[in-house]
Amino acid sequence: MPADRFPRIALGHFPTPLEPMENLRRALGGGPRLFIKRDDCTGLATGGNKTRKLEYLMGEAVAQSAQTVVTCGAVQSNHVRQTAAAAAKCGMECAALLERRVPDGGGDYEETGNILLNDIFNARYEFHPAGGDMNAAARELCGKIRAGGKSAYFIPGGGSNEIGALGYASCAVELSRQSEECGAGIRRIVHATGSAGTQAGLLAGLAGLNNGVKVTGISVRAEREQQRRTVAALARATAKINGGGEIKDEDVIVDDRFARPGYGRMTGEITAAIKMLAQTEGILLDPVYSGKGFAGFLAGVREGVFDGDESVVFLHTGGVPALFAYRSHFSKAA
Ligand SMILES: *Cc1c(COP(=O)(O)O)cnc(C)c1O
C-alpha cells in the first residue's frame, strides 16, 4: 500500500474483530445482515479509533525525535487519552488543551472517565473555555515549548489530518479483506463522525479499492453540509498521499439528525441505543460518539435506508471511559 511509505509504529491490536450481531437483528425483526467492526478493541488504553491514526502520527513524531506531543480536544476527549497513552509508550511527554465544550459539565465530567486516565498517564492538561480555536491554541503552546528548547510535535484535535487519516485508509483495506474472507458481503459502513478523520480515511481507502462500499457518517456535532465539506476536503487530501482514487461529492454521506441538541449532550435516543446494544450483544458504547453513531445505525436499519439484502457494518469507534463521566444518566433512578 502507498501508505506504507509513511513511518508507522505499532500501538494496537490489529486486525480488530469483525463480528455478526444476530441477537440484535432478531430483536429488530430481521432486515439486513448486521455486523460490528470492533475498533473499541484496538487495545491502547481501553482502545478506540484514535489508535489507528496515532500509529501514523506518532510514527512521524518519533521520526522527528519529538520530546513532547501537543494536542487538544473536549474535556472527555478519547483522542487526548489515547495520545497520552501513546506518548507514555514512546517515552514522550504529552501536553493537551481541553475545551469546556459541554454546558453543565463539572463534577464527574471533569474528574473521572478519560480525565482520570489522563492523570494516570501523567499527561499535562489545562481547561479552556468553549468556543475558541483549540487547534490554534495548541499550535501556540507547541511554539512556546519549542522556544523553551524542547522539540514538540503538534497533533490536531481528533488526530484528524491526512497523516492520521491514513490509519482509516488502511482500516478500509483490512475490513474489505475480512468481509471477503468470512463472506459477510459488506456493502455499507456506518459510524460516528466528529473531527472527520475516520470517515475521510475510510473514503480515501475505499476510493483506492473501488469496490462500491458506501460510508454513512453520523454527525456528533456539525450540521450536515458543513460536515460533508470537512470530510470531503480531508478525504481528498488523504487520497492524494495514499496513492489516489477519486472522491465524488455524492460519496460523502452524512446524517446529522443525532447531532442535536449539541456535542456531548445526552438524549433519550442515545441512552436507548446504548442499552439496546448492551442488552442484546453485551457490547458497551459511549454517550458522546459511538452511542450517537449507533442511534443513527438503528434508525437507518428501522427505516429501511439500507437495502434489505445489503450487509451493514457498524464501526465501533470506542469511547467507553466517557460512560463513567455520564453515570447520572444511567443510574437506576434516571
Ligand atoms: C474521535 C471519536 C470519533 C469520531 O472520529 P473522527 O475521526 O473524529 O470523526 C468517534 N467515536 C469515538 C469514540 C471517538 O473518540
Side-chain angles (χ1 to χ4, degrees), residues 148-326:
K150 270 193 182 171
S151 55
Y153 180 80
F154 168 72
I155 299 179
S160 286
N161 56 19
E162 57 269 45
I163 298 293
L166 285 176
Y168 273 88
S170 21
C171 178
V173 176
E174 177 184 304
L175 180 53
S176 299
R177 192 172 299 150
Q178 280 176 317
S179 168
E180 257 169 52
E181 276 167 12
C182 73
I186 286 176
R187 306 302 308 149
R188 184 182 297 266
I189 305 168
V190 181
H191 69 90
T193 178
S195 67
T198 302
Q199 190 168 8
L202 287 172
L203 289 173
L206 290 168
L209 295 170
N210 208 11
N211 58 9
V213 171
K214 296 189 184 109
V215 184
T216 300
I218 309 296
S219 178
V220 302
R221 187 183 190 192
E223 64 78 29
R224 181 171 175 270
E225 286 314 312
Q226 187 194 335
Q227 189 67 9
R228 287 186 68 227
R229 280 194 297 275
T230 311
V231 172
L234 186 53
R236 286 174 185 137
T238 308
K240 208 170 192 182
I241 63 167
N242 190 47
E246 191 195 353
I247 286 120
K248 300 193 203 78
D249 284 342
E250 65 258 34
D251 297 336
V252 186
I253 305 166
V254 170
D255 179 349
D256 67 358
R257 279 182 291 171
F258 297 89
R260 289 176 286 271
Y263 178 89
R265 307 277 298 277
M266 280 296 269
T267 65
E269 278 163 315
I270 300 171
T271 329
I274 291 174
K275 288 187 175 170
M276 178 101 185
L277 188 65
Q279 293 168 17
T280 53
E281 300 288 347
I283 297 173
L284 293 169
L285 297 164
D286 83 279
V288 184
Y289 292 97
S290 54
K292 269 190 187 173
F294 193 69
F297 175 83
L298 286 177
V301 174
R302 286 184 173 129
E303 292 163 5
V305 173
F306 315 127
D307 299 340
D309 57 355
E310 185 177 69
S311 290
V312 192
V313 62
F314 177 69
L315 170 62
H316 190 335
T317 44
V320 167
L323 266 179
F324 299 93
Y326 283 78

Side-chain angles (χ1 to χ4, degrees), residues 31-216:
R33 289 170 72 200
L34 305 178
F35 294 84
I36 185 163
K37 173 71 170 160
R38 301 293 305 273
D39 271 16
D40 56 320
C41 300
T42 57
L44 180 68
T46 79
N49 64 338
K50 305 311 181 304
T51 309
R52 290 188 193 267
K53 302 177 182 183
L54 285 164
E55 289 206 335
Y56 287 95
L57 292 162
M58 295 303 284
E60 196 170 74
V62 168
Q64 293 179 10
S65 308
Q67 293 163 294
T68 304
V69 289
V70 182
T71 195
C72 57
V75 170
Q76 282 296 330
S77 169
N78 302 298
H79 161 68
V80 168
R81 177 249 309 163
Q82 286 167 89
T83 304
K89 164 96 175 160
C90 295
M92 293 178 201
E93 288 180 9
C94 174
L97 304 183
L98 304 179
E99 183 188 13
R100 289 185 157 130
R101 196 184 290 168
V102 178
D104 312 321
D108 290 339
Y109 189 75
E110 291 198 356
E111 287 166 16
T112 186
N114 284 304
I115 289 288
L116 171 74
L117 304 187
N118 292 342
D119 288 335
I120 293 174
F121 290 120
N122 200 25
R124 269 194 297 132
Y125 56 85
E126 46 187 73
F127 295 114
H128 278 233
D133 184 339
M134 294 300 288
N135 278 330
R139 270 188 201 281
E140 209 171 287
L141 175 61
C142 213
K144 272 193 206 145
I145 293 171
R146 286 185 192 131
K150 270 193 182 171
S151 55
Y153 180 80
F154 168 72
I155 299 179
S160 286
N161 56 19
E162 57 269 45
I163 298 293
L166 285 176
Y168 273 88
S170 21
C171 178
V173 176
E174 177 184 304
L175 180 53
S176 299
R177 192 172 299 150
Q178 280 176 317
S179 168
E180 257 169 52
E181 276 167 12
C182 73
I186 286 176
R187 306 302 308 149
R188 184 182 297 266
I189 305 168
V190 181
H191 69 90
T193 178
S195 67
T198 302
Q199 190 168 8
L202 287 172
L203 289 173
L206 290 168
L209 295 170
N210 208 11
N211 58 9
V213 171
K214 296 189 184 109
V215 184
T216 300

